[in-house]
Amino acid sequence: MMEQVMRNFFLYMGKNRVATKVAKRYGMRFGASRFVAGASLDSSVHAIKKLNQKGLSVTIDHLGEFVDNAAEADEMTKHCIEAIERIAKENLDSQLSLKLTSMGLDIDYDMTVKNMRRILKSADQHDVFVTIDMEDFERCDKTIEIFTELKKEFENIGTVLQAYLYRVADDVANLNDLSPNLRLVKGAYKESPKVAFPDKKDVDENFKKIIRMHLLNGNYTAIATHDDQIIEYTKELVKEYNIPRSQFEFQMLYGICVDRQEALLKDGYKMRVYVPYGKDWYGYFMRRLAERPANVAFVLKGMMK
């Protein structure tokens, strides 16, 4: 019960615009640096190089939430292009992840698509793969619609589907004609039981279902999880159906289950680390605390120093 209360609290705080502005003002303190690779692109490049040296692949995400004007969306777009160019220039083993709200989704649909085309043209030029992160249920339809439109024009694009949504198996089936590269996750937003499974057991079973669907459809699959049960299920599934390791990868978050990341790499699996950076770190940080309330202990230690 207490864990659920804490989860709800952190999810609420993660969507609080006032708290987000305060966090921006005071910077990364009290443990956020464990999960966020600094505020600048330079800091993220440093983190990528260290991970690449270990043999770990990366996807970086310039954090940005609550973008509410065209000028800010344009700046976020330019920053994504700068990150793509930097990845290519430094020959980094890294992809790019982004949120459509950062590109202006809550402002204007057509502007968002235009900004995405600018990013994807640069990504094509520099051979950098781009993943559109999934956000909350309210934005799910628009995200899939934009992904579908852009996938018909660009090959170097994927998106994310969330196992806790009732609709997700239909989304996997409906997207199959595109042979999409999908990142499959449990889901980290607070959603109504009208649209999402409230119980972890049901989420886990649905997660296994869509992993199986997408892999057996022959599509590239990124299994983004820290759950040992899901990891072992995937290993057994690919072994049973002789699915090549070139068709899937595991993904985990920067700063979480580091030993597990390196163990999977040692066992010969492709392992990609999601590395967020930027001044707009607060919402992301709150969702990490909501996912794993045990992380609060780490934060409290930081506050005592």
Side-chain angles (χ1 to χ4, degrees):
M1 176 65 76
M2 180 55 68
E3 185 171 311
Q4 186 60 42
V5 170
M6 291 176 69
R7 171 178 164 79
N8 290 342
F9 170 75
F10 288 122
L11 288 174
Y12 167 77
M13 291 301 292
K15 287 188 172 183
N16 188 292
R17 291 173 184 260
V18 174
T20 298
K21 289 181 179 179
V22 171
K24 273 186 177 180
R25 184 180 306 158
Y26 286 96
M28 277 186 293
R29 299 179 185 177
F30 311 141
S33 59
R34 178 184 180 183
F35 310 108
V36 180
S40 68
L41 180 57
D42 284 341
S43 64
S44 76
V45 168
H46 178 70
I48 295 169
K49 288 180 177 179
K50 289 180 69 175
L51 291 165
N52 284 174
Q53 285 169 4
K54 294 180 179 181
L56 296 161
S57 300
V58 172
T59 182
I60 56 169
D61 180 7
H62 182 229
L63 299 171
E65 304 189 22
F66 306 128
V67 170
D68 56 10
N69 64 79
E72 195 170 355
D74 181 64
E75 280 302 308
M76 291 294 290
T77 301
K78 289 176 180 176
H79 191 96
C80 286
I81 293 170
E82 180 186 0
I84 288 167
E85 292 172 347
R86 187 74 177 275
I87 288 169
K89 180 181 178 181
E90 307 243 6
N91 196 30
L92 303 173
D93 179 5
S94 180
Q95 300 178 352
L96 176 74
S97 295
L98 56 82
K99 291 178 174 58
L100 290 182
T101 50
S102 297
M103 303 302 117
L105 185 62
D106 292 346
I107 307 165
D108 183 80
Y109 183 97
D110 291 338
M111 179 186 70
T112 304
V113 174
K114 181 180 178 181
N115 286 339
M116 283 301 304
R117 285 197 176 103
R118 290 164 59 194
I119 292 167
L120 290 168
K121 285 176 182 176
S122 177
D124 255 1
Q125 180 183 347
H126 296 290
D127 194 25
V128 175
F129 192 86
V130 176
T131 298
I132 299 175
D133 287 337
M134 187 58 72
E135 301 179 66
D136 55 7
F137 180 80
E138 179 184 347
R139 297 171 176 89
C140 189
D141 278 331
K142 285 184 178 179
T143 300
I144 290 176
E145 186 178 340
I146 289 175
F147 167 71
T148 300
E149 180 178 347
L150 293 171
K151 183 66 172 70
K152 294 172 182 176
E153 301 175 43
F154 301 94
E155 279 299 316
N156 60 337
I157 181 173
T159 193
V160 180
L161 294 181
Q162 300 161 320
Y164 66 178
L165 296 180
Y166 299 138
R167 61 175 285 171
V168 69
D170 289 336
D171 290 331
V172 172
N174 292 336
L175 290 172
N176 187 48
D177 286 346
L178 296 172
S179 300
N181 178 324
L182 296 179
R183 178 193 301 153
L184 304 180
V185 303
K186 288 190 179 182
Y189 293 84
K190 180 174 172 56
E191 300 291 2
S192 164
K194 293 180 179 179
V195 301
F197 292 103
D199 296 329
K200 180 182 183 298
K201 173 175 64 67
D202 295 324
V203 176
D204 288 349
E205 288 306 308
N206 211 36
F207 200 2
K208 293 175 184 177
K209 177 181 177 179
I210 62 173
I211 290 169
R212 180 186 178 91
M213 283 180 65
H214 199 53
L215 282 171
L216 293 186
N217 282 340
N219 298 316
Y220 194 87
T221 308
I223 301 97
T225 184
H226 306 97
D227 188 327
D228 286 337
Q229 180 188 10
I230 299 297
I231 292 169
E232 291 308 312
Y233 170 81
T234 303
K235 287 181 177 181
E236 292 170 9
L237 180 70
V238 299
K239 184 177 180 180
E240 179 182 358
Y241 289 95
N242 295 313
I243 295 170
R245 293 189 180 186
S246 59
Q247 192 190 319
F248 70 97
E249 64 185 54
F250 291 107
Q251 295 188 359
M252 293 188 188
L253 300 172
Y254 180 71
I256 299 180
C257 298
V258 174
D259 290 344
R260 189 65 161 127
Q261 294 175 18
E262 294 180 3
L264 284 167
L265 181 68
K266 186 177 179 181
D267 288 342
Y269 295 97
K270 187 170 184 64
M271 180 69 233
R272 189 176 304 278
V273 183
Y274 183 98
V275 177
Y277 70 99
K279 297 178 181 178
D280 225 349
W281 54 269
Y282 176 77
Y284 174 87
F285 182 45
M286 288 297 105
R287 288 193 292 279
R288 298 296 73 78
L289 294 182
E291 282 179 341
R292 296 169 63 89
N295 287 330
V296 177
F298 181 90
V299 176
L300 291 175
K301 288 180 184 178
M303 294 175 68
M304 299 300 291
K305 292 180 180 178

